[in-house]
Amino acid sequence: MTANEIAVMNHVQKVWTVVQAQMTALYSGAESRPNALNDIFRFLEPGSADEVLLEVGPVVFKLPEKAHHTSAALFVVIQGTISFTGPDFRTLPLKSKSFGTEVGYFRHERGALEHVFGAHYDFDVERPGHPVFHAQFKPVEAFSEDVRNHFRMKGEDTSSISGILSNVRLPTAQMDAFSAILQILSDHLVSVKSTNNALGNFKKLLQTGGFIQGTAQHLAFLNSPLPSHCYRSHHWYGQMLA
Amino acid sequence: MPKPSILLVDDSPDLLQALKAELEAVLNLEAIDIREWVPDPEQGSPEDYFQTLVDDQTVMVVTDYDLTTKMKGLFGVSIVSWCQARLIPVGDYSRRHDALPAEPNLFEFRVPSRAAEAARFIASTAGGFQDLKVRLTEPPEDQDQTGLAALLAAILGRPHLDSDLSLYLSRLASSNAAILQRLKELSDTHRVDAPARATVISYILGHVLLNSVLKYPGPILSDEALCAYFGCDIADADILMKLFEAAAYSGPFSEDGRYVWREDVDQAILDALSAGEPLTAESDAELFRLVAERMLGATLRNHGCPRCGGMLGGFLCPFTTHAVCLREDCSVAAVGWIPQGAQLSRIEKTYYEEWAPLLGF
């Protein structure tokens, strides 16, 4: 462990605590496993001395498919990495440099675990034709093992997305692991029927988003006035025009 | 209005007087009375007699486990139950080491059996509940809207820790139905008077704070937890507590124990790391120990773990009170055994392997 890694972990611990607390407040049956910090977040060897490389997960969320459902039978697995650059890792926001995230969704019904969605979220400024932030849908059946191990399930696995076309690259926001967690919790724990208290819990979740600044800070083609006031997807290929 | 009081219950008059004498030495007797009860059949129904000894100003009841010297069949568990029904904090003790489980339920305390230790514990616990009740009787304007965790965080002067503390409250629903019923009644009659509200909420928050937050390390560390955090022997607790005295926790229940705020310790570690030559280590605890040793200009003693030779650590097993680490042969993070907010608590592997099969984990 280095001083930089300790500083990053302190921030991550505070954010993860808010995620856990607000998730439970939004839906008492919602949970995630593992829930010990060190079992979820680990540091890898960074690319340079002035970087910190954080590995996240796999972490499994047990959620209702919709916020008003009475049972939580949807399992979402997240795994990813995100790197931060220094020199200052104590002051927020942490400055992200690169990331990669995978998510897999599984519906537990009648004893079977059905793989219903999977995606890889990526950051790419090198390859032509790749939007800088994008999602590719793909099966991640291997994540079912994490669901079964953490929630002690037996039974068979099925998949409804095994043949999905995997080179569709949808331009997206920066979907690092923490962004993905926010998206997953808002999809399944917030709805038009949410009470004011629930919306207050969601607001606390949203406020954690500010602990990371996106990698776009390093990309001149995304920092000019036009992209930041437009958001149409052609800007996401701007590295070709740079 | 009657004076606040503490009720002591023991079937041995001599032992009760010994405890009372120790308690008188540590309490402000102008502010609180000590009542005593030696159960006797001539008093009639024990429950009816108990009800004559307690009132709305009873701060705490302390009872021996075995009260059967004269009253056949009367055990402290009955006293505990009557107290819980009236939301009176209650502690019990036994001079037989195997009579009571070491771990109490959430809404009771285990009082040390030695009179001097017991007196300090009782004084600190009673004082803590009184402190909470006073602070809750004078509610801030928006207190109704804040929730228990936010209330507790505000009382402790750390409002930003409401999420950390809410993770200690998440299992409240399964702990005691009668208390939850009282909470529901409180929320249904929204404008209930402040003293009644303060009684219910101070009862709940006091137990959560003493039996959960202070016991299972997370945002607040005891001296055992602090030593585990630094991977050092408990014999160095005085040195570490002195080093981090600026991080001291001085809120309710702090009189009979030493505690520090983890976030303040973390800041001090980062400040020290930033100030000197870079240090690295394989684990947090090793790095923290190196930092502390540099701050102290002295070596700390390794803890006595036979698996790592006392080199690792970072976590406390609240059941064995040993420093443990992340090694697979050392500890597990057991879901369901430890409050979710207790991020620095892990269960020692040997203890877990002994008890998990019996408990169905």
Side-chain angles (χ1 to χ4, degrees), chain B residues 132 135-136 140 142-143 146-162 165 205 252 261:
Chain B
L132 281 170
R135 296 190 205 212
L136 287 162
D142 61 347
Q143 193 177 80
T146 53
L148 291 177
L151 262 179
L152 181 57
I155 287 169
L156 299 182
R158 305 265 169 151
H160 57 280
L161 292 181
D162 62 323
L165 296 174
L205 293 184
W261 289 101

Side-chain angles (χ1 to χ4, degrees), chain A residues 17-200:
Chain A
T17 299
V18 175
V19 166
Q20 293 282 293
Q22 301 314 317
M23 176 180 70
T24 312
L26 281 164
Y27 191 93
S28 62
E31 59 175 305
S32 64
R33 296 185 190 180
N35 56 22
L37 206 69
N38 298 93
D39 291 337
I40 303 168
F41 303 103
R42 292 162 299 278
F43 292 104
L44 304 175
E45 197 63 42
S48 72
D50 202 28
E51 272 182 43
V52 167
L53 179 57
L54 181 70
E55 183 178 44
V56 181
V59 55
V60 186
F61 289 86
K62 179 174 186 272
L63 303 166
E65 208 155 309
K66 293 187 181 176
H68 59 271
H69 283 186
T70 54
S71 68
L74 185 70
F75 295 85
V76 185
V77 186
I78 299 177
Q79 178 173 279
T81 59
I82 181 169
S83 69
F84 302 104
T85 57
D88 182 6
F89 294 91
R90 293 185 68 176
T91 309
L92 292 179
L94 294 173
K95 295 171 181 45
S96 63
K97 182 181 171 190
S98 66
F99 70 94
T101 309
E102 284 197 331
V103 296
Y105 289 59
F106 300 84
R107 184 185 287 136
H108 187 232
E109 209 164 38
R110 289 186 281 274
L113 206 54
E114 181 191 3
H115 185 29
V116 293
F117 184 81
H120 175 81
Y121 301 114
D122 213 348
F123 165 72
D124 191 342
V125 289
E126 301 291 333
R127 279 176 275 205
H130 287 218
V132 61
F133 304 120
H134 61 266
Q136 284 173 258
F137 295 169
K138 60 178 256 195
V140 276
E141 287 107 338
F143 278 162
S144 70
E145 192 179 336
D146 296 290
V147 179
R148 292 197 180 285
N149 287 343
H150 283 300
F151 287 91
R152 303 209 178 137
M153 285 177 188
K154 292 181 181 165
E156 58 176 62
D157 289 348
T158 62
S159 174
S160 44
I161 62 165
S162 51
I164 198 165
L165 190 61
S166 63
N167 65 332
V168 176
R169 291 186 191 85
L170 294 172
T172 66
Q174 172 167 327
M175 293 300 288
D176 55 71
F178 296 96
S179 295
I181 289 169
L182 185 60
Q183 166 254 309
I184 287 160
L185 296 183
S186 45
D187 279 350
H188 301 289
L189 301 183
V190 182
S191 76
V192 293
K193 298 178 187 175
S194 292
T195 62
N196 286 339
N197 272 352
L199 293 176

Side-chain angles (χ1 to χ4, degrees), chain A residues 201-236:
Chain A
N201 296 123
F202 181 53
K203 189 175 170 187
K204 287 183 184 177
L205 264 178
L206 281 179
Q207 286 165 342
T208 66
F211 99 104
I212 295 176
Q213 187 175 3
T215 64
Q217 64 184 298
H218 303 296
L219 304 172
F221 68 89
L222 281 180
N223 278 321
S224 58
L226 189 56
S228 61
H229 286 87
C230 176
Y231 290 108
R232 290 191 68 244
S233 64
H234 68 281
H235 295 295
W236 264 230

